[in-house]
Amino acid sequence: MPTVDVLEFDDVVIGFGKGGKTLAGVLGRAGRRVAVVEQSEQMYGGTCVNIGCVPTKALVYAAHLGHDGDDAAHYTDSIAQKDALTAKLRAANFTMLDSVDTITVITARAEFVGPKRVRLSAGTDERELTAERFYLNTGSLPAVPDIPGASEGGHVLSPRIHTSTELISESNLPGRLVIVGGGYIAYEFASMYAAFGSEVTVVDRSPIPLKHEDRDVAAAVASALTGDGVRFLQGARVTGVAESGETGVPAHDGALAPALVGVATASGPITIEADAVLLALGRSPATAGLGLDKAGVETDGRGAVVVDERLRTTAPDVWALGDVNGGPQHTYVSLDDHRIVLSQVAGGPERTTADRRTIPTTTFVTPPMSRVGLTEGEARAQADEHGWDVGVASKEVAKIAAMPRPKIVRDPRGLIKLVVDRKTETVLGATLFCVDSQEIVNLVSFAMDHGLPYTALRDRMYTHPSSSEALNEVLGTIV
């Protein structure tokens, strides 16, 4: 049996995600011998840089730019510009680590063959790595459930079927796009592609839109997207997808024949022709094929690596950062994960996941919708347990006199809503569906983390004209 080269390191990071690459950089610059293993050179920098936050937000921005010529040409040009941006950032991320003498970036597939030992495979080449400590940072993948004619065994069955990863790599604008799913990814893509000029239909199993949001907020968001041309089928499900070519139906764009999407609705079955079908049904931790059982690393029923509040796995000296550990799937959470791990392996103030009082989020529909803390419904459900006297401040953006910026940028749609405890003046949560909400939410989150009363946000001085100054007016309406 041929011998396999064994390389020894102090630290091995599996996956080039935000938390792992940042941790690797800190440890490498401190003089530790670090290996970063990534299975694809197209993923240097992780999901956010290559197929997540950066490219999708670049396309959201491009979708709303004025342009000369037809929508299809504008879309194709936007995809090319997005590709150029991600290529530049990917190269910068690689150089950031590869330029450190003590860091080795290896492009290969990793699989544990025992505790603190992984085998790397790249084509026919194999080698093994051992290290004092291992860090799992492999991220997540789009969920692909079985749908007759569309997907099976986690794989799509037709070039018309896409996950978010593939769709943003398509250079041709789909004239008709069907989105399967009713979550935040579905809404973001629906808003973006409608702005590019696609006819968008969202098929959502839930009888109501955005089921985790307060009804007034969900209605405002759905109304804005409907106004932009998005069609919503609530309480509906896709029963199957067939190719139309065999039925003699001509291709809509002169290339592939359109897909025929069967949908069960409350009023009966319908068929929708689509040039593309997006499966937007969440993301699952990327743990398949890692051989985690051989390392003593346990996973839960969703496939996520089981960790404690210090992100330690069930195996000694093995940590998991980012989406793979089953926590909130945001790149800034992965970044914070690296701080928690770093405090253990390099010293300094101890951090745990329990230190995170708030985790703000933004869904980049247009205008963006941001959230932090509790919704009104959640706060009222917990009021008796905590002794809260729940107060709500809510106002439509178009009616906020002290907030001219949305009118200046010609999008005064939306709703700003904050939930407080009137007894203690504590901010319990906020939903901000408005221009610049992705910035305002960080201000509210900061106030919540540091225990500032809502009056501090209400009474402070803001620049003008800005979106944050809306808090002066909205927080004066608490009922």
Side-chain angles (χ1 to χ4, degrees), residues 452-467:
L452 299 178
Y454 77 83
T455 53
L457 293 172
R458 182 195 65 191
D459 299 337
R460 75 165 287 106
M461 181 171 58
Y462 299 98
T463 57
H464 177 82
S466 67
S467 294

Side-chain angles (χ1 to χ4, degrees), residues 193-467:
Y193 276 86
F196 271 123
S198 298
E199 296 177 10
V200 179
T201 300
V202 175
V203 181
D204 184 4
R205 280 180 174 268
S206 171
I208 56 175
L210 294 174
K211 61 184 178 181
H212 298 298
E213 303 296 334
D214 289 330
R215 290 303 84 211
D216 53 350
V217 172
V221 177
S223 176
L225 268 66
T226 299
D228 288 339
V230 178
R231 177 172 68 145
F232 291 93
L233 299 178
Q234 299 297 149
R237 63 182 180 86
V238 173
T239 56
V241 178
E243 294 289 345
S244 62
E246 298 177 358
T247 67
V249 178
H252 182 69
D253 58 7
L256 297 170
L260 301 177
V261 184
V263 181
T265 73
S267 56
I270 63 173
T271 300
I272 306 172
E273 285 192 12
D275 301 299
V277 178
L278 170 64
L279 304 181
L281 297 161
R283 298 178 66 85
S284 303
T287 53
L290 289 176
L292 298 179
D293 56 327
K294 299 182 182 69
V297 175
E298 294 181 6
T299 56
D300 63 16
R302 298 178 300 143
V305 175
V306 175
V307 295
D308 63 13
E309 71 280 0
R310 291 175 176 80
L311 303 180
R312 298 176 298 195
T313 72
T314 52
D317 298 317
V318 182
W319 289 262
L321 303 83
D323 292 3
V324 75
N325 67 27
Q329 295 180 342
H330 306 292
T331 192
Y332 44 91
V333 172
S334 182
L335 177 63
D336 195 58
D337 281 355
H338 112 274
R339 300 184 185 108
I340 293 173
V341 175
L342 190 63
S343 69
Q344 299 166 64
V345 302
E350 184 175 294
R351 290 285 310 279
T352 74
T353 54
D355 296 329
R356 297 170 178 160
R357 294 188 59 192
T358 65
I359 299 178
T361 64
T362 297
T363 302
F364 282 87
V365 292
T366 301
M369 182 189 73
S370 301
R371 274 271 315 275
V372 64
L374 303 177
T375 64
E376 178 187 353
E378 291 168 339
R380 294 196 184 283
Q382 299 177 35
D384 289 344
E385 176 186 353
H386 296 284
W388 292 331
D389 177 13
V390 175
V392 177
S394 179
K395 202 163 188 177
E396 294 178 27
V397 170
K399 297 179 180 179
I400 302 174
M403 188 187 186
R405 176 163 166 74
K407 300 178 181 68
I408 292 170
V409 300
R410 304 178 186 179
D411 194 356
R413 297 175 297 174
L415 177 75
I416 292 180
K417 184 175 185 178
L418 291 96
V419 184
V420 305
D421 172 24
R422 285 182 287 205
K423 289 181 182 177
T424 63
E425 299 186 341
T426 300
V427 180
L428 301 177
T431 303
L432 312 163
F433 175 45
C434 63
V435 167
D436 299 328
S437 74
Q438 75 277 14
E439 304 295 345
I440 308 171
V441 73
N442 292 316
L443 174 64
V444 179
S445 178
F446 182 86
M448 293 173 67
D449 280 344
H450 291 273
L452 299 178
Y454 77 83
T455 53
L457 293 172
R458 182 195 65 191
D459 299 337
R460 75 165 287 106
M461 181 171 58
Y462 299 98
T463 57
H464 177 82
S466 67
S467 294

